[in-house]
Amino acid sequence: MLLYVKLILKSLLRHQKSGKKLFVFISLCMVTIIILLTMMDSFYVKYLDEIINNWTSHIRIVSKNSPKLKPNSAFSVEEENLSLIKIDSKIEQFISNMPEVQAYSPVIETYGNFFTIDSDFQGFSWIRGIVPDSISKVLPGVIITEKNANFNYDPNNKDIPIVRGFPTSSEIIIDNDKFQKKDFRIVGDKFDNFKKQVIKDFPQLFSDTNIEKDTNSQIFISSLNKSLLDPNLYKVIPSTYFDNYDWKIDDTITKIKSLDPNSKKEIAKWNKRLYCSLYPDIIFPVPEEITLNKPLTLQVMPAKNKEILSSPIIIPITFVSYAKGIPMYPQPTYIDINIFREYLDLESNECTDFVIRLKDKQSIQIVKDKIQKYLIEQNYDYKVIDFFQADTLGTPIATSFSIVILIPVILLFCAIVIFILNMIMLSIIKRKREIGTSLAIGMTKGENIIIFLGEVFIIVTLSWLISIVVGSAAIIYLANNGLSGMFFFNSNKLFFVLDFKYIFLAYILILPITLLSALIPCLSILKFKPVEILRETN
Amino acid sequence: MVLIKLILRNIFSHKLRSTIIFIVISLVFSIMFLFLAFADGTSENMVNSILSITKPKCDIVVTAKGFLESKEANEKLEELNKMTISDYQSIRDKIQQLSEVSSVYVHTQPVNVNFIINEKRYKPVNFFGIEPDYSKHITSNVNITEGRFFENSDNNVILMHSSVGKQLNIKIGDTITTVGTDLFGQSITENFTVIGFYKSKIDSIGLATTALIDMNGYLMISGLVDGEASTMNINLKKNASLKESLTKLRQMAKDNNLNIEFNEFNIFYKNIEEIKLYAAIKIIVMFLSFIVIFIIMFGIMNVVSLNLKDRRKEIGSYYCLGAEKWFLNIMYSSEILIINVLSSIVGLISGLILRFIINSINITTDNPGFQIVLGGEKLYLGFNIYSVLYIFIIFVLITIITSFVTLGSALKVSPSVAVREVEE
């Protein structure tokens, strides 16, 4: 045994150069395989966690008619009546007494539209009525952007505070406090006429002598933008605009008068609206951006007994914060469930879902079975579903992404096999004389093969040791700082989970593959005849 | 000529080594091709499933003048809906007179309204009107699973997605009542008779909320009048130039004093969210493939360098025969290049064959999550010339880097090596 080790080490030292190359190649492959396998697993685990923490929680109790129980529920056409359940104190007591349960909350899930005070549509959202204090407990992944936001309903306030689902890219409005060329409906001669009209109406704002030569309207637009900052712009509006009453002009001036003259952005935005009110056929309406602490209305459909032409329920609201959930999923808006029940005319124990968060993900099945059994015993026909059933999209997305990562891993294994084959084959050709001599002095062919395989074993093991250090360091770095650009996650980052199983798996998979790959060319040694080899090489 | 002869002789005299490099590159190229074909296939699937009905691919989109500008300026939806093409039938006739135009059809804006069936009221669904000229195009994208397609005499009839039919137990002949507001915010209620159920040829469960209705019914729930349309789509003949056709169409509109504009499809629909998502997935796939190719490149360099080391005697002999270093550089680089290019071509061909086989197997899924990943119900591997070029360029780069890194030291051989009995 010792002799073998000695011979293997000596051989390795003698062929250092090619050994080093093989070592670097296998190390690189191992590090990449470890990182990719960890990435695959981390993605799967973290993505499902993201869904649990932001969207479903661990377990839900739902009505037997709930759309969540339908196959392909993510895209099915849903009835507008809400499928309601009544969670009485007995059920709540039973759930709260379970040692596995960490938190729970009744939830009402529906959808609604937002409108500004001017009745402009401002978007629609998935609405979740929830006990405000429990949101961080049952859905801890939801990021409430305003740290001190409180959406508990206060009867002293007219508007109900709600946390709006984070606006999508198409909902974010920028540049509504300055003019750009795209803000005008007209071009060419018509635009020149408009310019002349504005200069005539507001001569004091367009004193630039070059305005006549302003062929691409840059000077005109920049003068217009300068005028937006003037809190007294409304005072220089020609009196002809007031000959007929226009509520839009009147309302806008009233608003501007109420603004702080130092809040330049607000002044500019409302002055832009003023221009829009003066020239409505030429300037596109200035959209209202989504902002916090502004009075709005929320329209939701009645929860039950809808007539053919039933009117929506109108709720006066104000956004107190934004809630960021999983990208690519709807961003729900959160409202205090108690006031929501009042508006929807529901009883104090009615909800669409009763959401339960567990201390440990592993106990889902046990808790689910226990609750379901209890509900049957109590003659309730409610269903208990876990996060897999509550969300039909997350698992396939996580699985598919894992498969996508697995393909390069398989490719790397293929590359290792072929390169090892080639390298060992070359080594054998190169060392023919050495092998011939060893055979001549009495070493068997099998012993030669063992020495070759021993060398491969040592190289792979050393590569693995190095890849443990490099791979772990990379994974620890990615566990702390995250891999950027992963748009699947709320933070846009995938935080790796260091799992030693993949470090060992890489070794367990690569070692036999490399040994087998090395064995195939080594078998050619069996055909060697010492005399011929020595003659050949001489 | 001598150079080519030598290169080919070298390749064949080291058959085994050349074969190994050849296999590796073919294999890697082929898998990389399939990997990117998957990413391309998902977006192609998306275009051929949901988007084939909601935003059907065409060459040119016709709208009222200023429509696109207003859309990009975030004009209110109700205002945008007012910007319509009037008397589209006569405009269509004028467009069709152009020799470059293959077909023109109206593509309607969806009316998003609730519907009532079996005394239950359901959440809003998108109702698209199918104009007779559009029928030809939509029938190439959808299959009627039950019932029939629209006929010219149809009035207030509806085709629903087959999954909705099963889910809500709707039968042919049932009446569906639509309830909501039209494109201009006016309340509407209208009854439609179910004449059948459809499935997109590359189906997606996402189409569950898309219903197709005849044009008469569409006018009733959209608030538009006869001859009014939001958009028209133009398909050009195969050899027609897009730019020239656009110029001619714009001139035609000017000559006839028509209040319409023409935009390229890709400009009109440049912000399709679904396509952006699949583009982002493709970037991840390209990044992963780049990492793998980089590591494999290191392996290839290793093998080439070892091969050249083993051929020191051969290199020495060339020096003895008076070969210059630049000559050997060209010769060995060309040898590597030929192997790499040939194996890339073989890799591409085998990738194409595998793609054909996988696409023929017709792997489908009902799971909505997998349908999102695949862009439709079917696993489809696409073909994009840019993806092929991407892999080709990477492999050419590998060849250049391999030549630079390995040849420099490998060619530093003394001519005496050739005459030495045994190499060191």
Side-chain angles (χ1 to χ4, degrees):
Chain A
M1 184 68 188
L2 210 68
L3 183 70
Y4 278 131
V5 175
K6 209 172 168 181
L7 284 171
I8 291 167
L9 290 176
K10 268 198 173 166
S11 180
L12 272 175
L13 285 172
R14 212 168 31 247
H15 305 285
Q16 258 184 59
K17 226 173 177 181
S18 54
K20 262 184 207 165
K21 282 183 180 170
L22 186 63
F23 168 76
V24 174
F25 176 67
I26 294 187
S27 303
L28 263 176
C29 286
M30 276 218 188
V31 171
T32 315
I33 287 170
I34 289 171
I35 293 174
L36 286 178
L37 286 175
T38 310
M39 183 179 173
M40 185 183 84
D41 191 52
S42 307
F43 186 90
Y44 190 85
V45 173
K46 293 275 177 176
Y47 196 63
L48 292 188
D49 281 349
E50 189 95 341
I51 285 160
I52 292 168
N53 295 339
N54 282 283
W55 189 245
T56 59
S57 205
H58 290 117
I59 291 175
R60 284 175 175 230
I61 303 174
V62 294
S63 153
K64 64 172 183 176
N65 300 319
S66 170
K68 292 186 183 78
L69 292 172
K70 288 176 183 145
N72 307 328
S73 60
F75 294 107
S76 58
V77 178
E78 284 176 34
E79 218 183 307
E80 215 169 38
N81 273 343
L82 297 183
S83 301
L84 297 162
I85 50 172
K86 284 182 184 177
I87 298 292
D88 58 30
S89 53
K90 264 198 310 185
I91 302 177
E92 211 173 315
Q93 187 70 41
F94 174 77
I95 291 166
S96 68
N97 285 341
M98 290 176 86
E100 298 92 343
V101 173
Q102 186 175 305
Y104 54 83
S105 171
V107 167
I108 296 172
E109 290 190 340
T110 182
Y111 70 101
N113 297 324
F114 301 117
F115 289 85
T116 65
I117 290 299
D118 296 336
S119 306
D120 287 341
F121 177 68
Q122 210 203 37
F124 60 92
S125 175
W126 190 247
I127 311 287
R128 266 186 190 156
I130 194 166
V131 179
D133 298 333
S134 69
I135 187 168
S136 59
K137 293 171 193 153
V138 289
L139 297 167
V142 175
I143 298 171
I144 307 289
T145 56
E146 303 299 303
K147 275 179 190 166
N148 300 319
N150 174 15
F151 68 105
N152 279 296
Y153 173 61
D154 178 359
N156 297 320
N157 289 331
K158 192 178 76 188
D159 298 324
I160 294 158
I162 69 170
V163 176
R164 193 201 196 273
F166 202 76
T168 59
S169 57
S170 59
E171 284 179 319
I172 294 170
I173 290 159
I174 46 166
D175 292 338
N176 64 349
D177 57 347
K178 57 177 163 248
F179 277 109
Q180 288 175 337
K181 256 199 150 170
K182 64 171 188 169
D183 290 324
F184 304 98
R185 288 192 164 106
I186 48 169
V187 287
D189 292 347
K190 283 184 184 170
F191 190 75
D192 289 338
N193 291 338
F194 164 68
K195 265 163 67 178
K196 282 176 195 160
Q197 178 67 43
V198 178
I199 294 167
K200 192 180 146 204
D201 289 344
F202 299 93
Q204 62 278 52
L205 304 176
F206 299 93
S207 51
D208 195 325
T209 48
N210 290 322
I211 196 119
E212 296 300 322
K213 298 170 198 163
D214 182 25
T215 46
N216 60 1
S217 304
Q218 283 308 313
I219 299 173
F220 171 73
I221 290 173
S222 94
S223 303
L224 213 52
N225 281 334
K226 261 187 215 163
S227 72
L228 292 180
L229 301 170
D230 181 2
N232 296 316
L233 181 70
Y234 67 92
K235 289 182 182 167
V236 290
I237 298 171
S239 57
T240 47
Y241 285 96
F242 298 103
D243 289 348
N244 294 316
Y245 176 73
D246 185 326
W247 68 270
K248 271 203 167 175
I249 299 176
D250 199 44
D251 277 12
T252 315
I253 292 173
T254 312
K255 177 73 189 176
I256 294 170
K257 280 179 184 170
S258 71
L259 292 173
D260 174 6
N262 296 319
S263 60
K264 288 187 177 171
K265 199 174 160 60
E266 277 292 289
I267 294 278
K269 194 176 80 188
W270 281 93
N271 274 339
K272 190 175 174 184
R273 286 183 165 213
L274 185 62
Y275 276 121
C276 181
S277 313
L278 295 171
Y279 311 105
D281 297 335
I282 291 151
I283 301 170
F284 282 121
V286 182
E288 174 90 45
E289 81 267 42
I290 300 165
T291 48
L292 302 180
N293 305 316
K294 226 186 231 174
L296 296 161
T297 56
L298 167 67
Q299 288 191 8
V300 289
M301 290 310 290
K304 38 188 170 181
N305 303 325
K306 272 185 281 287
E307 304 298 327
I308 288 181
L309 280 175
S310 54
S311 306
I313 293 164
I314 315 246
I315 308 172
I317 55 154
T318 183
F319 300 144
V320 290
S321 178
Y322 300 114
K324 256 186 164 182
I326 324 170
M328 299 193 295
Y329 271 64
Q331 302 291 318
T333 291
Y334 295 91
I335 182 169
D336 186 334
I337 192 168
N338 294 318
I339 187 69
F340 201 38
R341 277 181 181 136
E342 268 183 43
Y343 271 96
L344 293 176
D345 199 19
L346 299 179
E347 289 172 36
S348 63
N349 59 355
E350 276 186 311
C351 58
T352 57
D353 304 59
F354 192 78
V355 180
I356 303 160
R357 186 171 175 88
L358 306 179
K359 286 173 188 156
D360 183 6
K361 205 162 71 175
Q362 308 304 324
S363 51
I364 286 178
Q365 196 55 47
I366 302 165
V367 178
K368 192 180 149 190
D369 292 344
K370 271 191 205 169
I371 299 174
Q372 188 67 73
K373 197 178 158 202
Y374 174 78
L375 290 172
I376 293 167
E377 281 168 5
Q378 300 296 316
N379 291 324
Y380 288 104
D381 58 1
Y382 305 155
K383 299 285 173 204
V384 185
I385 55 172
D386 57 30
F387 71 95
F388 281 113
Q389 291 159 293
D391 173 71
T392 45
L393 299 181
T395 317
I397 289 175
T399 310
S400 307
F401 193 82
S402 302
I403 294 169
V404 167
I405 299 173
L406 201 62
I407 292 170
V409 174
I410 295 168
L411 198 60
L412 282 175
F413 279 120
C414 293
I416 289 174
V417 169
I418 298 168
F419 287 132
I420 299 268
L421 262 169
N422 180 71
M423 282 173 142
I424 302 293
M425 192 180 66
L426 276 176
S427 299
I428 291 170
I429 295 168
K430 225 174 158 186
R431 296 196 216 167
K432 259 187 177 178
R433 193 179 156 85
E434 189 184 313
I435 298 166
T437 314
S438 65
L439 290 175
I441 59 168
M443 262 179 85
T444 64
K445 287 169 185 172
E447 282 166 337
N448 268 294
I449 292 173
I450 289 171
I451 290 170
F452 260 103
L453 296 183
E455 283 178 39
V456 173
F457 174 79
I458 289 178
I459 290 172
V460 172
T461 308
L462 284 176
S463 305
W464 179 62
L465 292 174
I466 285 291
S467 61
I468 291 178
V469 179
V470 181
S472 305
I475 292 166
I476 289 168
Y477 174 81
L478 291 167
N480 292 325
N481 300 295
L483 177 67
S484 301
M486 300 302 287
F487 56 87
F488 296 91
F489 295 91
N490 206 339
S491 57
N492 214 23
K493 282 181 175 180
L494 167 62
F495 290 90
F496 280 44
V497 183
L498 180 61
D499 190 340
F500 286 101
K501 129 178 122 199
Y502 293 111
I503 290 172
F504 288 104
L505 193 67
Y507 185 65
I508 291 164
L509 287 173
I510 288 180
L511 186 67
I513 285 174
T514 44
L515 287 177
L516 269 174
S517 316
L519 188 64
I520 297 163
C522 280
L523 290 176
S524 64
I525 294 175
L526 294 175
K527 294 176 198 158
F528 284 6
K529 285 182 181 155
V531 185
E532 278 172 23
I533 295 167
L534 290 172
R535 196 194 303 143
E536 205 182 295
T537 43
N538 276 323
Chain B
M1 197 62 197
V2 180
L3 187 70
I4 297 168
K5 217 171 165 181
L6 283 171
I7 293 166
L8 292 175
R9 199 175 280 172
N10 277 342
I11 291 173
F12 288 104
S13 59
H14 301 284
K15 250 187 225 164
L16 199 65
R17 295 163 204 189
S18 307
T19 312
I20 285 175
I21 300 280
F22 190 88
I23 292 171
V24 173
I25 295 183
S26 304
L27 184 81
V28 174
F29 196 106
S30 160
I31 295 179
M32 283 296 118
F33 169 77
L34 292 174
F35 203 35
L36 291 180
F38 166 76
D40 292 326
T42 53
S43 46
E44 258 187 73
N45 255 356
M46 183 47 97
V47 170
N48 293 326
S49 58
I50 297 183
L51 295 181
S52 73
I53 291 171
T54 58
K55 295 174 184 93
K57 183 94 175 91
C58 63
D59 296 310
I60 296 167
V61 179
V62 193
T63 55
K65 220 172 210 171
F67 184 91
L68 182 60
E69 206 183 3
S70 307
K71 195 173 119 186
E72 287 179 353
N74 290 321
E75 177 66 287
K76 285 181 194 168
L77 196 62
E78 277 178 21
E79 293 299 317
L80 267 183
N81 289 338
K82 284 178 195 164
M83 299 177 79
T84 54
I85 305 167
S86 310
D87 193 12
Y88 69 77
Q89 290 94 339
S90 74
I91 292 174
R92 181 182 55 200
D93 292 344
K94 287 188 180 91
I95 292 171
Q96 259 165 347
Q97 281 168 13
L98 257 84
S99 57
E100 287 87 351
V101 173
S102 156
S103 61
V104 195
Y105 58 87
V106 166
H107 180 252
T108 55
Q109 289 296 306
V111 183
N112 190 249
V113 284
N114 301 74
F115 68 92
I116 297 167
I117 188 160
N118 300 333
E119 294 174 0
K120 282 180 181 167
R121 183 176 151 129
Y122 291 91
K123 286 182 182 173
V125 164
N126 287 324
F127 288 80
F128 284 87
I130 306 297
E131 206 250 350
D133 276 340
Y134 182 36
S135 298
K136 284 177 241 162
H137 297 271
I138 205 152
T139 44
S140 63
N141 290 323
V142 299
N143 288 325
I144 302 298
T145 55
E146 205 188 331
R148 63 169 178 86
F149 196 69
F150 300 106
E151 288 165 4
N152 286 346
S153 57
D154 278 338
N155 205 350
N156 283 26
V157 294
I158 186 166
L159 273 172
M160 300 208 81
H161 192 262
S162 59
S163 67
V164 181
K166 277 180 210 156
Q167 188 201 331
L168 307 185
N169 197 24
I170 303 173
K171 291 181 186 69
I172 292 173
D174 283 356
T175 300
I176 281 177
T177 307
T178 54
V179 186
T181 54
D182 65 13
L183 295 174
F184 309 100
Q186 302 297 315
S187 294
I188 53 108
T189 57
E190 197 67 27
N191 287 341
F192 287 88
T193 309
V194 179
I195 55 162
F197 300 96
Y198 77 93
K199 234 182 150 182
S200 174
K201 281 197 175 148
I202 294 177
D203 201 37
S204 169
I205 203 84
L207 280 169
T209 50
T210 300
L212 311 176
I213 53 175
D214 67 285
M215 208 55 191
N216 295 323
Y218 179 77
L219 292 178
M220 299 305 292
I221 65 164
S222 64
L224 296 174
V225 293
D226 192 17
E228 210 180 357
S230 304
T231 53
M232 286 169 83
N233 290 358
I234 301 176
N235 282 318
L236 298 176
K237 284 179 183 159
K238 266 188 183 170
N239 300 322
S241 149
L242 183 62
K243 270 193 176 173
E244 278 174 27
S245 308
L246 271 170
T247 315
K248 281 186 184 175
L249 285 164
R250 282 170 186 155
Q251 189 58 45
M252 181 276 291
K254 206 174 172 187
D255 294 345
N256 290 286
N257 205 17
L258 298 173
N259 188 35
I260 53 173
E261 67 179 23
F262 300 88
N263 287 293
E264 278 179 45
F265 177 86
N266 291 337
I267 292 175
F268 192 80
Y269 288 119
K270 64 184 168 196
N271 288 324
I272 301 179
E273 289 293 325
E274 297 92 328
I275 297 292
K276 276 190 195 168
L277 169 71
Y278 290 106
I281 291 175
K282 190 174 174 184
I283 290 171
I284 294 180
V285 167
M286 283 172 97
F287 176 70
L288 280 173
S289 60
F290 184 78
I291 292 175
V292 174
I293 292 176
F294 173 78
I295 292 166
I296 287 170
M297 181 184 81
F298 184 81
I300 292 174
M301 279 182 350
N302 238 347
V303 173
V304 171
S305 135
L306 271 176
N307 283 351
L308 287 170
K309 279 252 160 72
D310 198 46
R311 289 158 68 178
R312 289 175 77 215
K313 217 170 174 174
E314 176 189 308
I315 296 166
S317 306
Y318 279 122
Y319 280 130
C320 281
L321 293 167
E324 297 280 338
K325 200 177 176 186
W326 65 264
F327 177 83
L328 295 182
N329 249 321
I330 293 174
M331 190 176 74
Y332 286 112
S333 302
S334 308
E335 187 186 321
I336 301 167
L337 185 72
I338 288 173
I339 296 174
N340 284 9
V341 169
L342 279 179
S343 48
S344 299
I345 292 168
V346 171
L348 175 63
I349 293 168
S350 48
L352 284 169
I353 294 168
L354 278 170
R355 173 180 170 263
F356 175 77
I357 295 168
I358 293 169
N359 284 345
S360 307
I361 294 170
N362 204 13
I363 303 165
T364 55
T365 174
D366 285 338
N367 186 295
F370 283 121
Q371 286 197 0
I372 284 188
V373 177
L374 301 180
E377 62 164 359
K378 187 181 161 187
L379 167 67
Y380 175 71
L381 301 175
F383 180 79
N384 185 338
I385 192 70
Y386 295 110
S387 303
V388 176
L389 277 177
Y390 166 77
I391 314 174
F392 253 118
I393 290 168
I394 287 186
F395 276 90
V396 170
L397 280 176
I398 288 179
T399 309
I400 296 167
I401 296 169
T402 311
S403 303
F404 265 112
V405 174
T406 55
L407 286 180
S409 59
L411 294 182
K412 277 180 197 157
V413 176
S414 161
S416 63
V417 171
V419 286
R420 232 179 264 158
E421 267 187 14
V422 181
E423 277 184 48
E424 290 305 312

